[in-house]
Amino acid sequence: MNTTTHYPAAPAAQSIEAHTLSVIVDNEPGVLARVIGLFSGRGYNIDSLTVSETEHQKHLSRITIVTRGTPMVIEQIKNQLERLVPIHRVVDMTVAGRSIERELAMVKVAADAQKRPEVQKVADALGARMIDESAGGVIFEITGGSDKIEQFIGQMLPLGLIEVSRTGIVAIARGAEGM
Amino acid sequence: MTTTNKTGAGAPGREMTGAEMVIEALTDQGVQHIFGYPGGAVLPIYDAMFQHPLCKSDKLRHVLVRHEQGAVHAAEGYARSTGKVGCVLVTSGPGATNAVTGLTDALCDSIPIVVITGQVPTHLIGNDAFQECDTVGITRPCTKHNYLVKRIEDLSRVLHEAFHIASSGRPGPVVVDIPKDIQFAKGIYSKPEKQFQHQGYKPRLDGDPNKIKQAVEMMAQAKRPLFYTGGGVINSGPHASALLRELVKTTGFPITSTLMGLGAYQASDPQWLGMLGMHGTWEANWAMHDCDLMICVGARFDDRITGRLDAFAPGSKKIHIDIDPSSINKNVKVDVPIIGDCGRVLEDMLKLWRANKAQPDKHALADWWKQIGKWRARKSLSYKNSNSVIKPQYAIQRLFEATKGRDTYITTEVGQHQMWAAQFYGFEEPNRWMTSGGLGTMGYGLPASVGVQLAHPESLVIDIAGEASVLMTMQEISTAVQYRLPVKIFIINNQYMGMVRQWQELLHGGRYAESYTESLPDFVKLAEAYHAVGIRCEKPGDLDGAIKEMIDVKRPVIFDCVVDQKENCFPMIPSGRAHNEMILGDSGESVDDAITEEGKVMV
Ligand SMILES: Cc1cc2nc3c(=O)[nH]c(=O)nc-3n(C[C@H](O)[C@H](O)[C@H](O)COP(=O)(O)OP(=O)(O)OC[C@H]3O[C@@H](n4cnc5c(N)ncnc54)[C@H](O)[C@@H]3O)c2cc1C
Ligand SMILES: Cc1ncc(C[n+]2csc(CCOP(=O)(O)OP(=O)(O)O)c2C)c(N)n1
Ligand SMILES: [Mg+2]
């Protein structure tokens, strides 16, 4: 029996890759809705999304999106983003290579005086910095690649993790050139 | 948005209201007709129109439609038949939501239109005010771009930008939402910039010379080449069609086209294979399947074309010329992508072909044409005619014969009649064929014909319609009557939603759920009620006379052509099959056998 339809079948299992895209946009009302609407409307994934104005005079924002898909889908995502009028440039940091990715997390841990040294030891080992200390808990700030943050959170879990707030990934290319 | 804001003439702008700016900007953009419908949130613009010298002198004419969807389709027909931007004015809330189908249609088919919507005053936005809706939110996914203008200082720039974006690159619909207080506010009007500059929006027009070189070399070596062209050639303008014709003639290659590209190449030419795809000809689809070089010009590998992707033109190399990078490698991976305007790229290809003194592989090409001749001999569009009942294909053939050599424009609704029109009406020129391809919007054809007729008052404009589709926007015949637009609504009346009936026959065991219309209006009386002319024809023998009568009447006509109710549209690539597995009308293969269980899922 024929197992296909006139509509193209879903592509045969291709490797799914995670890519980080840096996007320069006009910081105008609705621009984020356009980007997010594009992803939801076309069924693309968003693993992480960060946005902030980076050039105030020019009203330009930089969006960093981590997404997943087959190489063909990733290429589509880039091309579809470039169709949006307020978007100036899209660079696939993963393809361009040589880029640095960082994330910041604030991690709240319930650590009484007894547990605190142990907590502090783990934090020191991963370079997390204590930024608040109150009666029942402490807050750490940690910056690094997502793996490192995952690792820190994983280690804090049994020690009394209360909550986590993460920025999502930002990325920048090495070398002297700008986007 | 960062644009330079020089006034074109260098003169300081004049002060005026936002509403007046709309009229100034439209005329500065060359708009002569605007399709619209008034309401509270656009009253200042209508008031300005009532008084403005540009409107009093008929430089800008407003056409009052009967439904906002009709306004947008009329603007689409206007745009597609002229190459200009179509323009629409509607009110907030229901006016804007009624326009959404037309906007989506224009986005799918890359039609340049600018739709101006009224909005509640800025201080009420977000308050659930009367007739408020989130127009930019609703229309974001169905426009190329849209704007909400919250400052009078931005209005003239945004209006000019809207026209530029709608018409450049890959064309599409643009919405400008203008709150009522902005229409009243006064500001300085600036003329369009001579040179539009925008950081983020720079469509690429010239193809990469290296890629073009590679393409031309591949063409000279091809043994079984085929041009597969589409709506992009029409978008690029008549110039691109002329270049395409030259390149096809110079190379001697066969050519087929999508539904959207009909007319770019003349249908009467021997190198023309007819339309390809789901309802394409035997020779076009077999040539696609067997070609060794596919030269795709302004077409987007739509699923009606490719069928099964794993069996799509398996032995071919592919060149793809498209202005929109997102059309390339979307469905089908190609070997030589060329991003650019197809007019410019075709010109470069032609130049290079000549400079290289390139010669096609004549021997191989002769064999290829011999093979194509065999496929052609299959006469895949043939049907069994009848003396007693009008066959729909026959009706369109007679219509074509009666209008041949005349200055004719054809629009369609959606369904079997649309496919038969594509198969049996031969188009010799671009911009003569207006149809809803991507969205497949029933109700497109009648209002589109109104827009076409307005742009071409002396021409013959015919909507080849289905009785079900045409009832969706029938009220626009009233617009045609009001503006003395002698459109001909040629209804292929099979009493069924024929395309749905065909699928039910093929896929659902002949269970015709809700596809038969029990109670149709008397179309002749309906025409008369609208002060149009009604004609009915039921016998093949009467057809030519009735068509002549329709053409001779210089008023809008509704022509009720009563046809065979059970006719199916063939050839057809059924679900679960590839290009070389078409079924034909006279093939004797039962359609039940042709479609697999899994195939039934598809439509
Ligand atoms: C009932 C029904 C049945 C249908 N059956 C068929 C069928 O059998 N066969 C068929 O062909 N279609 C059929 N269609 C239509 C089909 O759905 C698509 O609309 C159509 O195939 C798309 O045509 P296209 O590829 O030419 O693309 P279009 O939608 O016309 O897109 C044009 C392409 O050209 C590009 N472009 C635009 N401007 C330029 C420029 N200046 N330079 C270069 N590139 C440019 C665009 O980026 C885009 O990729 C059917 C529709 C309906 C409703
Ligand atoms: C607005 C809209 N609703 C539903 C459909 C689905 N549809 C496609 S063709 C068709 C039947 C059209 O019937 P008719 O206009 O009589 O044309 P015929 O196929 O009989 O020639 C329908 C319902 C559509 N394309 N558009
Ligand atoms: Mg019908």
Side-chain angles (χ1 to χ4, degrees):
Chain A
M1 179 101 71
N2 202 334
T3 53
T4 46
T5 75
H6 183 90
Y7 271 133
Q14 272 181 296
S15 61
I16 302 281
E17 301 171 358
H19 282 240
T20 304
L21 307 178
S22 289
V23 187
I24 303 292
V25 301
D26 287 314
N27 184 14
E28 62 183 25
V31 66
L32 198 55
R34 286 183 207 282
V35 172
I36 292 171
L38 175 75
F39 274 73
S40 66
R42 293 186 181 266
Y44 306 143
N45 300 300
I46 300 182
D47 284 356
S48 161
L49 183 141
T50 65
V51 54
S52 184
E53 189 169 89
T54 47
E55 291 181 63
H56 299 305
Q57 278 94 26
K58 293 189 190 160
H59 299 290
L60 291 180
S61 290
R62 183 168 175 133
I63 302 178
T64 310
I65 305 171
V66 182
T67 183
R68 259 172 308 126
T70 64
M72 226 161 136
V73 167
I74 301 280
E75 186 191 333
Q76 258 300 298
I77 293 174
K78 183 172 177 285
N79 287 332
Q80 291 292 351
L81 281 169
E82 278 174 343
R83 286 176 83 185
L84 299 180
V85 172
I87 288 191
H88 292 221
R89 273 204 82 188
V90 183
V91 173
D92 186 333
M93 292 296 189
T94 309
V95 170
R98 300 197 336 119
S99 67
I100 302 175
E101 295 184 6
R102 288 292 181 269
E103 198 181 350
L104 183 147
M106 292 196 276
V107 180
K108 191 186 283 183
V109 186
D112 50 26
Q114 207 186 350
K115 262 204 240 155
R116 212 159 280 185
E118 193 186 348
V119 167
Q120 188 65 53
K121 217 172 93 195
V122 176
D124 289 344
L126 286 173
R129 208 159 56 85
M130 193 188 293
I131 53 174
D132 186 71
E133 192 170 9
S134 16
V138 289
I139 301 173
F140 290 102
E141 174 196 310
I142 178 164
T143 313
S146 297
D147 291 352
K148 177 169 149 187
I149 291 173
E150 290 296 339
Q151 189 189 347
F152 183 63
I153 293 168
Q155 292 182 3
M156 284 299 149
L157 203 58
L159 298 175
L161 182 79
I162 298 172
E163 64 174 339
V164 181
S165 179
R166 296 168 73 155
T167 56
I169 287 165
V170 292
I172 203 159
R174 291 177 203 267
E177 260 135 60
M179 244 183 93
Chain B
M1 197 164 289
T2 35
T3 47
T4 52
N5 211 352
K6 292 173 293 208
T7 52
R14 281 187 293 130
E15 195 192 53
M16 61 183 78
T17 66
E20 288 164 340
M21 278 187 201
V22 170
I23 291 159
E24 292 281 343
L26 293 183
T27 42
D28 278 344
Q29 291 293 340
V31 177
Q32 291 167 306
H33 298 100
I34 181 163
F35 303 90
Y37 208 95
V42 281
L43 279 184
I45 300 175
Y46 275 87
D47 196 31
M49 254 195 263
F50 195 81
Q51 305 181 49
H52 204 287
L54 286 168
C55 300
K56 281 190 168 159
S57 64
D58 266 2
K59 280 234 166 59
L60 179 67
R61 269 180 75 198
H62 179 270
V63 175
L64 178 66
V65 295
R66 301 301 186 259
H67 186 292
E68 289 86 351
Q69 181 186 347
V72 184
H73 293 326
E76 286 185 274
Y78 189 94
R80 189 72 167 181
S81 67
T82 59
K84 299 204 297 193
V85 177
C87 202
V88 174
L89 174 61
V90 299
T91 192
S92 67
T97 55
N98 271 350
V100 165
T101 299
L103 288 168
T104 313
D105 192 89
L107 184 71
C108 290
D109 286 345
S110 303
I111 313 287
I113 55 171
V114 169
V115 176
I116 296 169
T117 54
Q119 183 53 278
V120 303
T122 43
H123 68 274
L124 287 178
I125 290 176
N127 266 354
D128 302 322
F130 176 62
Q131 293 197 325
E132 179 185 0
C133 73
D134 176 5
T135 301
V136 282
I138 291 170
T139 62
R140 204 173 281 130
C142 62
T143 52
K144 181 173 173 186
H145 193 49
N146 63 13
Y147 301 86
L148 168 62
V149 183
K150 285 178 139 177
R151 300 176 340 136
I152 185 71
E153 293 80 11
D154 295 334
L155 184 58
S156 42
R157 174 183 56 77
V158 165
L159 286 166
H160 298 316
E161 213 169 273
F163 277 84
H164 177 74
I165 288 173
S167 57
S168 59
R170 179 179 184 168
V174 178
V175 163
V176 182
D177 198 25
I178 313 178
K180 195 169 180 178
D181 53 329
I182 304 298
Q183 299 169 31
F184 279 126
K186 284 199 162 177
I188 303 294
Y189 172 72
S190 54
K191 294 244 171 213
E193 300 153 23
K194 288 219 178 74
Q195 275 264 300
F196 183 89
Q197 281 177 23
H198 191 287
Q199 283 285 320
Y201 182 78
K202 290 180 204 132
R204 212 183 311 165
L205 300 178
D206 287 313
D208 174 347
N210 289 323
K211 294 267 166 59
I212 292 175
K213 185 160 165 275
Q214 204 183 338
V216 167
E217 279 162 10
M218 285 162 80
M219 283 163 65
Q221 280 161 17
K223 305 217 175 300
R224 297 184 310 279
L226 176 67
F227 282 100
Y228 148 46
T229 64
V233 183
I234 312 288
N235 285 136
S236 185
H239 176 63
S241 294
L243 287 161
L244 175 70
R245 288 166 189 218
E246 235 180 298
L247 188 62
V248 172
K249 278 289 147 210
T250 313
T251 55
F253 295 173
I255 173 169
T256 178
S257 161
T258 66
L259 183 76
M260 295 309 291
L262 298 179
Y265 196 82
Q266 63 275 38
S268 60
D269 190 86
Q271 279 167 262
W272 170 247
L273 305 189
M275 181 175 81
L276 83 163
M278 188 173 224
H279 292 291
T281 64
W282 185 258
E283 53 271 31
N285 283 333
W286 266 100
M288 273 301 259
H289 186 268
D290 279 10
C291 70
D292 74 340
L293 179 67
M294 181 187 298
I295 308 146
C296 171
V297 188
R300 57 184 172 86
F301 294 90
D302 183 76
D303 55 65
R304 305 289 98 168
I305 303 303
T306 59
R308 252 173 65 188
L309 279 175
D310 60 347
F312 176 68
S316 68
K317 291 257 187 254
K318 298 172 194 76
I319 297 166
H320 186 183
I321 306 170
D322 203 294
I323 203 163
D324 180 354
S326 81
S327 284
I328 290 175
N329 292 339
K330 179 169 65 178
N331 305 324
V332 171
K333 201 109 186 115
V334 298
D335 303 278
V336 183
I338 305 177
I339 297 165
D341 168 53
C342 60
R344 296 208 192 175
V345 175
L346 286 169
E347 190 171 355
D348 290 348
M349 285 174 114
L350 203 56
K351 271 192 200 143
L352 195 60
W353 180 274
R354 287 183 174 145
N356 287 359
K357 300 208 166 51
Q359 288 293 328
D361 184 337
K362 288 229 170 69
H363 191 71
L365 205 55
D367 285 349
W368 181 224
W369 274 113
K370 209 180 296 141
Q371 175 59 60
I372 289 171
K374 285 185 195 155
W375 289 324
R376 253 189 192 150
R378 191 68 184 73
K379 292 200 186 316
S380 62
L381 295 182
S382 55
Y383 60 94
K384 285 196 193 74
N385 211 351
S386 155
N387 288 327
S388 52
V389 50
I390 302 175
K391 290 286 181 172
Q393 300 95 321
Y394 180 69
I396 291 169
Q397 276 183 315
R398 296 319 300 165
L399 182 71
F400 175 49
E401 289 302 326
T403 57
K404 233 184 198 166
R406 297 182 74 118
D407 175 21
T408 310
Y409 292 81
I410 301 290
T411 73
T412 75
E413 307 292 338
V414 170
Q416 290 179 319
H417 63 277
Q418 177 189 26
M419 292 299 112
W420 283 317
Q423 293 173 338
F424 289 93
Y425 201 99
F427 293 93
E428 296 293 306
E429 297 295 332
N431 305 95
R432 299 279 170 159
W433 164 245
M434 272 53 62
T435 196
S436 170
L439 195 63
T441 311
M442 291 169 70
Y444 165 86
L446 199 170
S449 74
V450 168
V452 174
Q453 186 80 76
L454 197 76
H456 309 276
E458 305 305 326
S459 308
L460 177 61
V461 181
I462 304 170
D463 171 27
I464 297 179
E467 81 296 334
S469 294
V470 80
L471 285 175
M472 289 207 170
T473 50
M474 177 49 87
Q475 69 283 353
E476 298 308 332
I477 196 74
S478 176
T479 310
V481 169
Q482 177 175 340
Y483 294 91
R484 300 180 200 285
L485 302 170
V487 295
K488 316 299 179 201
I489 311 305
F490 190 79
I491 302 175
I492 302 290
N493 184 352
N494 53 10
Q495 292 212 33
Y496 275 97
M497 298 167 198
M499 190 55 95
V500 173
R501 196 199 56 75
Q502 179 166 347
W503 283 99
Q504 286 171 331
E505 182 182 329
L506 308 194
L507 302 170
H508 297 279
R511 293 179 295 278
Y512 300 124
E514 306 294 330
S515 55
Y516 180 74
T517 310
E518 284 286 341
S519 152
L520 283 168
D522 177 331
F523 284 107
V524 172
K525 285 191 183 144
L526 188 65
E528 285 160 5
Y530 277 114
H531 311 293
V533 176
I535 299 174
R536 177 171 298 116
C537 183
E538 292 170 291
K539 296 212 178 65
D542 299 339
L543 193 57
D544 286 350
I547 289 176
K548 184 172 185 312
E549 186 189 342
M550 172 184 87
I551 295 172
D552 289 344
V553 183
K554 297 297 170 233
R555 288 167 57 200
V557 177
I558 297 179
F559 189 112
D560 185 12
C561 186
V562 180
V563 301
D564 189 345
Q565 298 192 355
K566 296 287 162 62
E567 195 68 17
N568 280 336
C569 182
F570 293 115
M572 175 176 178
I573 302 178
S575 328
R577 294 281 182 104
H579 271 175
N580 56 349
E581 300 176 284
M582 263 163 290
I583 48 174
L584 294 172
D586 55 357
S587 67
E589 179 179 24
S590 124
V591 275
D592 271 347
D593 300 340
I595 294 178
T596 62
E597 273 306 310
E598 290 80 359
K600 292 182 185 178
V601 183
M602 67 146 288
V603 162

